[in-house]
Amino acid sequence: MANRNASYVRTQMLAPQSPPTSQIGAIRWMRENLFDGWISTVLTVLSILAIGALVSGLWPWLSNSIWNARNLTHCREILAGEPGACWAVINDRWLQLFFGFYPSDLYWRPVLAFVLLFVAIAPVLFPSVPRKVLAFSLAYPFLGVWLLWGGSVWGVTVAAAGFGVGYLALRLTRSAGTLVSTLAAIIAPVLWWLFLAVPVSGFLSGFAPLAIRSVPSREFGGFLISIVIGVSGIVLSLPLGVLLALGRRSSMPLIKSISVVFIEFVRGVPLITLLFTASLLLNYFLPPGTNFDLILRVIIMVTLFAAAYMAEVIRGGLAALPRGQFEAADALGLDYWKAQRLIIMPQALKISIPGIVNTFIGLFKDTTLVVFIGILDPIGLASAIRANSDWQGIYWELFLFIGAVFFIFCFGMSRYSMHLERRLKTDHR
Amino acid sequence: MDTRTIDRSHMQVTDEVAIQISAMNKWYGQFHVLRDINMTVYRGERIVVCGPSGSGKSTLIRCINRLEEHQSGQIIVDGTELSSDLKNIDKVRSEVGMVFQHFNLFPHLTILENCTLAPIWVRKVPKKEAEETAMHFLHKVKIPEQAHKYPGQLSGGQQQRVAIARSLCMRPRIMLFDEPTSALDPEMIKEVLDTMIQLAEEGMTMICVTHEMGFAQAVANRVIFMDQGQIVEQNEPREFFNNPQSDRTKLFLSQILGH
């Protein structure tokens, strides 16, 4: 065998050589991507023509942009018949688009809340941020609510204390078994919020009246309201979605059927009907005289809506995990919640990142639907601005601006999710 | 199997009962997968379970740490009876180590984290101590240098050795192996078997579902042959291989040893 004529066998090894010049650099890229056969060449030429037509159509409009004008008529006078964008409307009304009718001397409060929001989410988004900042993240919801709505500091403090009450109830009843302590941890804070919160905060306010000017919900508007509803919905819908996804896979028939009915019902109706329910119908069911904040009602509905979608996205992630992961966790003696927290969820959520972020982005954009229940979000404000005789007849500039702001937020989320996927990639495929 | 001589000084079967299975039955829906299993495992035994596929051997050992539920009869592990009582199940599971065919390492955790997770969260061992224990066992399975890598970066044989180390970190009194070498390339089987032999030499009580008959001849003190959900034959390895009693065993052995 070894002595058979084998001239194709190398007796000397070759050093690596560089590839032919037609196979590297820009020429190769263009040949492969733009001119790979006659179909692709035709498509490339057509695309270039289409892009050219679009740019030559838009360019005069953009290059003649007017930034300073008193009103639309003034804009048109300056342009004198030429096509041109009248961005003066944004220059004139951008504060209103961001803050709605929030008192202008208090703009610092939403701005501060917005800046602190990034401090609060930093430890959640980036592992390099010190873990101690997480304590601030936990306190942020209450601080944010206080900054935005104002009022007595004791109101939010007492509301936050409800969670402390729940924790205390859990600790005190631990010896009585899991079921009892879980129930106690739910019932005690509810009782606290229903019966004790108001007198306690009233008493503390009488004792030390620490308050800032309160701003009622009806003065909120613009991107402020989109961000308040969007961020609250995002933060609340993820844990609720996780619980619903686990509930739907539970072996306990009651929990399973509650989850399935909830998910299927909420997914089966349009968000706008839920919002109308929140703004109109709910009043019929609440005791007369109950003052239940409209923004809060909308946040609850948006959260429930997004949570149902979230549950299905996460269920997909759970279904994609091999059974062996559950078995290995079981075999090591981890109980259900520990296995979920340490083994199952980190992997299932990682698989679901694109779907989760998809739901987040959808939720954020869906906040514009609140315009139909009379909340002045950016779209609602755009209508209000156009109703003013100064800016009547202006469309493109307003909606392009609103679209651009939404795009920045949504694109940011999308980029972060791609970064997260790369960071969590441990499979080295 | 190999030329290595096996140190039998610590391989002692005591008369302390480790696992007692009596009149155990299991069904998958209508399918009667385990039929009237009776079996006693003494501390220090090394048992190899073999049989054709679908004979219920994997199901049998998965019943021992209740990855599968049995419907009648009794399984007592280390004095704890397996029932629907979750406390008993968790107790048994933390005493019984299990190694799977497909390793089932946690891909999002490093090798070290895989090994320390259960000791820290189930046994409440301090992190530092758990890491020391983990490194000790990673040394034992001869891959301490991989501790900070992720499972996806290791070969199959290395992953399976990590899986063994991960089980050992819980200081189990019994180890179950569910076809630990079936998913491995031939050249990696030996490194895993060597680890298992080492474990046997230290006197670990082991039940292995495997087709590695060389391993059975080298370390097992008992071979159990299963077919159609029943224990058809059991004997010490030399007798089992040289002098099988039932026709079914003879057929099986001729098929797996015949080539």
Side-chain angles (χ1 to χ4, degrees):
Chain A
M1 193 71 181
N3 296 330
R4 189 92 44 92
N5 177 18
S7 56
Y8 49 83
V9 175
R10 288 225 174 269
T11 51
Q12 253 182 330
M13 293 322 236
L14 292 180
Q17 294 171 329
S18 44
T21 43
S22 65
Q23 292 302 306
I24 49 173
I27 296 171
R28 168 168 171 258
W29 184 88
M30 280 171 66
R31 184 179 295 157
E32 273 186 7
N33 294 289
L34 298 178
F35 304 106
D36 181 25
W38 67 270
I39 297 184
S40 120
T41 308
V42 168
L43 287 176
T44 302
V45 171
L46 284 178
S47 306
I48 290 170
L49 289 177
I51 294 168
L54 202 67
V55 170
S56 65
L58 270 177
W59 179 245
W61 189 72
L62 280 173
S63 61
N64 290 340
S65 290
I66 305 292
W67 284 94
N68 292 300
R70 285 185 307 278
N71 53 38
L72 188 57
T73 327
H74 188 199
C75 254
R76 285 178 179 151
E77 278 167 21
I78 298 171
L79 286 167
E82 291 287 306
C86 184
W87 299 108
V89 63
I90 307 300
N91 200 1
D92 187 33
R93 298 298 186 97
W94 67 276
L95 280 170
Q96 196 183 17
L97 280 172
F98 277 106
F99 297 102
F101 299 100
Y102 206 87
S104 55
D105 55 323
L106 298 180
Y107 280 170
W108 64 272
R109 274 164 41 180
V111 170
L112 180 62
F114 187 65
V115 171
L116 290 179
L117 170 68
F118 285 95
V119 180
I121 59 175
V124 182
L125 298 187
F126 301 104
S128 53
V129 177
R131 296 294 90 189
K132 279 175 189 154
V133 186
L134 273 173
F136 177 74
S137 308
L138 286 177
Y140 178 78
F142 305 100
L143 179 65
V145 164
W146 184 60
L147 276 175
L148 289 173
W149 275 273
S152 165
V153 72
W154 298 114
V156 285
T157 314
V158 168
F163 292 97
V165 169
Y167 181 70
L168 209 64
L170 185 72
R171 291 301 298 268
L172 290 177
T173 54
R174 177 156 285 179
S175 54
T178 322
L179 186 67
V180 175
S181 57
T182 311
L183 281 176
I186 294 170
I187 292 169
V190 169
L191 291 176
W192 167 267
W193 286 320
L194 282 182
F195 300 110
L196 282 169
V198 175
V200 168
S201 70
F203 170 75
L204 287 168
S205 301
F207 204 62
L210 297 171
I212 51 176
R213 201 166 111 206
S214 74
V215 180
S217 288
R218 63 172 181 278
E219 291 179 5
F220 283 51
F223 286 108
L224 172 59
I225 207 140
S226 305
I227 293 169
V228 166
I229 297 173
V231 170
S232 321
I234 284 170
V235 170
L236 296 170
S237 65
L238 185 61
L240 191 58
V242 168
L243 289 180
L244 283 169
L246 291 178
R248 191 163 191 166
R249 288 170 65 96
S250 167
S251 54
M252 285 180 262
L254 183 67
I255 290 178
K256 184 177 172 145
S257 46
I258 289 174
S259 308
V260 170
V261 168
F262 177 88
I263 291 169
E264 295 303 336
F265 173 75
V266 172
R267 282 202 311 166
V269 296
L271 176 58
I272 193 75
T273 56
L274 291 178
L275 291 176
F276 275 123
T277 311
S279 77
L280 304 169
L281 277 175
L282 224 55
N283 281 350
Y284 292 108
F285 300 109
L286 293 170
T290 319
N291 180 20
F292 194 6
D293 190 89
L294 182 60
I295 294 181
L296 182 60
R297 282 186 264 169
V298 168
I299 288 175
I300 291 173
M301 285 303 180
V302 167
T303 302
L304 296 182
F305 188 75
Y309 282 88
M310 196 63 75
E312 290 297 279
V313 168
I314 293 166
R315 190 165 69 98
L318 286 169
L321 275 195
R323 225 170 77 113
Q325 293 292 310
F326 296 85
E327 288 178 352
D330 281 349
L332 285 170
L334 293 164
D335 64 28
Y336 178 81
W337 291 109
K338 278 181 195 150
Q340 291 299 337
R341 194 170 106 217
L342 301 166
I343 308 298
I344 307 304
M345 274 307 152
Q347 297 185 61
L349 291 179
K350 186 183 106 182
I351 299 172
S352 319
I353 287 172
I356 291 174
V357 175
N358 206 15
T359 312
F360 282 170
I361 289 175
L363 181 157
F364 186 57
K365 291 189 298 180
D366 279 353
T367 57
T368 50
L369 284 174
V370 297
V371 68
F372 291 111
I373 54 168
I375 293 178
L376 288 177
D377 80 319
I379 305 290
L381 281 171
S383 308
I385 290 169
R386 281 187 291 114
N388 185 304
S389 60
D390 276 353
W391 301 112
Q392 204 168 20
I394 204 158
Y395 288 91
W396 284 96
E397 293 82 351
L398 275 173
F399 285 117
L400 278 176
F401 176 74
I402 293 168
V405 175
F406 270 106
F407 178 79
I408 290 169
F409 280 100
C410 297
F411 189 64
M413 283 194 255
S414 160
R415 296 309 294 188
Y416 174 75
S417 87
M418 287 165 76
H419 158 80
L420 191 63
E421 278 179 66
R422 275 196 304 275
R423 193 180 87 206
L424 297 180
K425 193 169 155 55
T426 56
D427 54 2
H428 305 279
R429 266 188 290 206
Chain B
M1 176 177 63
D2 62 2
T3 51
R4 181 178 158 201
T5 50
I6 289 168
D7 172 15
R8 297 184 177 275
S9 57
H10 294 96
M11 287 192 188
Q12 281 153 359
V13 178
T14 65
D15 50 10
E16 183 193 347
V17 175
I19 302 169
Q20 174 79 57
I21 301 177
S22 31
M24 192 263 277
N25 283 282
K26 170 162 183 65
W27 289 264
Y28 284 132
Q30 287 295 309
F31 179 56
H32 198 171
V33 58
L34 290 177
R35 307 177 193 178
D36 191 37
I37 303 288
N38 291 285
M39 173 178 175
T40 306
V41 179
Y42 295 94
R43 175 103 33 236
E45 277 205 281
R46 287 108 24 221
I47 297 176
V48 162
V49 183
C50 61
S53 73
S55 60
K57 47 195 196 304
S58 281
T59 310
L60 172 63
I61 70 162
R62 288 159 62 87
C63 281
I64 294 172
N65 66 353
R66 201 145 171 122
L67 288 181
E68 302 285 351
E69 198 178 321
H70 60 281
Q71 276 87 32
S72 75
Q74 214 181 23
I75 302 176
I76 300 173
V77 182
D78 259 339
T80 309
E81 183 177 354
L82 282 171
S83 61
S84 52
D85 185 342
L86 287 176
K87 271 202 184 107
N88 284 357
I89 294 175
D90 285 342
K91 183 159 176 256
V92 167
R93 281 175 179 168
S94 60
E95 301 291 330
V96 178
M98 177 123 185
V99 175
F100 298 90
Q101 182 179 358
H102 295 289
F103 334 133
N104 296 351
L105 295 178
F106 305 130
H108 63 303
L109 302 176
T110 63
I111 299 308
L112 188 64
E113 288 166 339
N114 264 279
C115 293
T116 56
L117 183 108
I120 290 173
W121 291 92
V122 179
R123 288 247 194 271
K124 313 281 182 207
V125 175
K127 186 165 182 244
K128 197 163 177 303
E129 193 186 322
E131 283 178 354
E132 279 163 14
T133 313
M135 286 315 293
H136 167 77
F137 285 111
L138 286 174
H139 267 287
K140 184 172 256 182
V141 301
K142 301 189 178 69
I143 34 178
E145 71 282 1
Q146 313 281 10
H148 296 285
K149 289 192 182 168
Y150 286 94
Q153 293 165 289
L154 269 58
S155 74
Q158 290 174 322
Q159 290 194 46
Q160 192 61 294
R161 285 184 283 149
V162 172
I164 294 172
R166 176 175 75 176
S167 292
L168 293 176
C169 284
M170 285 293 278
R171 308 263 184 205
R173 306 190 68 192
I174 300 166
M175 285 287 287
L176 306 174
F177 293 83
D178 188 2
E179 306 205 24
T181 56
S182 306
L184 295 177
D185 289 342
E187 56 190 319
M188 295 172 181
I189 291 177
K190 187 177 173 301
E191 62 188 52
V192 170
L193 289 181
D194 281 346
T195 309
M196 291 166 65
I197 291 169
Q198 198 185 345
L199 211 57
E201 285 174 335
E202 288 164 15
M204 177 65 80
T205 310
M206 301 164 67
I207 304 180
C208 314
V209 173
T210 182
H211 296 119
E212 295 297 328
M213 292 305 141
F215 173 79
Q217 279 164 324
V219 288
N221 69 308
R222 180 147 60 120
V223 179
I224 289 178
F225 176 73
M226 288 185 72
D227 190 26
Q228 294 178 2
Q230 294 152 84
I231 296 178
V232 174
E233 187 166 341
Q234 56 174 320
N235 215 328
E236 55 103 10
R238 191 171 307 148
E239 276 297 293
F240 179 84
F241 289 110
N242 297 340
N243 189 17
Q245 300 299 305
S246 84
D247 292 341
R248 195 63 198 83
T249 316
K250 284 174 195 161
L251 179 65
F252 176 76
L253 286 177
S254 74
Q255 277 165 349
I256 65 161
L257 300 174
H259 55 257

